[in-house]
Amino acid sequence: MDIKRFVLVLGFIFSTILVVAQCEYTLDNYSHNDCFGANSGTIDITLTNNNASVDWAGPNGFTSSSTALTGLFSGTYYLTVINTVQACTLVDSISIEETIELSADFNLAGRCSNQDSVNVITNLWGGTPPYTTVWSNGDTSRNIMNLPSTSVSPHILTITDFNSCIDTCLLYTSPSPRDR
């Protein structure tokens, strides 16, 4: 009688382990977005059982039933693995991240009047350093000296980071006529 109970308990434990294993998956690969606002994220999983299926839900109404996801924006993607044959369900989530948006702060110096040229000290942040910069006049210096005054059209600084993410920042060096 003790042997029958032992076999029954052992059989129950073994079948429980099999049922749980039928809803498992392996995370094969995932990638985050290298640029702010990009949709280059990926998630690739493998199901441990052919009877299982997947459902994904994510940002902006995203849904899929694929094990290989591409073109993902940053956010949390919720995975549901369902195996109706073994009656199990597994819920998990995977987050795809992105870098901080590239941007710049400008500190203007050396101006005596609104019509004077200015020296511009530029502080960059976001993205992935190192950065390269190009001003609309072709100058590749981050900090630029004697930049002419303008209130009609801005000076444009194009910033490129290590991942080739690009952003542009506008700089007016003189107040607009309505601000004078």
Side-chain angles (χ1 to χ4, degrees):
M1 188 129 140
D2 286 334
I3 292 177
K4 286 183 184 179
R5 271 193 230 162
F6 176 73
V7 170
L8 180 62
V9 169
L10 187 59
F12 177 75
I13 291 171
F14 183 68
S15 65
T16 302
I17 291 170
L18 283 179
V19 169
V20 171
Q22 302 307 316
C23 281
E24 290 182 352
Y25 72 95
T26 301
L27 178 60
D28 298 320
N29 192 19
Y30 68 98
S31 63
H32 298 293
N33 293 319
D34 289 335
C35 298
F36 180 82
N39 66 328
S40 58
T42 63
I43 300 173
D44 189 18
I45 65 169
T46 300
L47 298 174
T48 58
N49 186 289
N50 291 337
N51 293 324
S53 63
V54 298
D55 286 315
W56 291 94
N60 304 316
F62 174 88
T63 60
S64 179
S65 58
S66 176
T67 57
L69 305 179
T70 59
L72 303 178
F73 288 96
S74 68
T76 302
Y77 292 82
Y78 297 94
L79 166 66
T80 305
V81 178
I82 302 167
N83 186 329
T84 55
V85 175
Q86 277 82 27
C88 66
T89 301
L90 173 87
V91 178
D92 201 355
S93 65
I94 299 171
S95 292
I96 299 298
E97 299 174 359
E98 67 185 353
T99 60
I100 297 171
E101 185 174 13
L102 285 168
S103 196
D105 276 335
F106 302 110
N107 183 9
L108 307 181
R111 176 174 34 190
C112 294
S113 73
N114 287 338
Q115 291 74 35
D116 287 348
S117 63
V118 296
N119 299 329
V120 180
I121 306 300
T122 306
N123 296 310
L124 304 176
W125 74 87
T128 305
Y131 309 107
T132 60
T133 56
V134 178
W135 288 91
S136 49
N137 66 3
D139 192 321
T140 58
S141 303
R142 180 179 300 179
N143 302 320
I144 190 167
M145 302 301 164
N146 297 316
L147 195 62
S149 178
T150 180
S151 62
V152 177
S153 61
H155 296 283
I156 301 170
L157 176 64
T158 302
I159 308 163
T160 305
D161 77 353
F162 177 77
N163 295 321
S164 298
C165 305
I166 298 173
D167 197 16
T168 56
C169 296
L170 306 180
L171 172 63
Y172 290 91
T173 56
S174 177
S176 68
R178 72 176 188 279
D179 294 336
R180 292 185 195 157

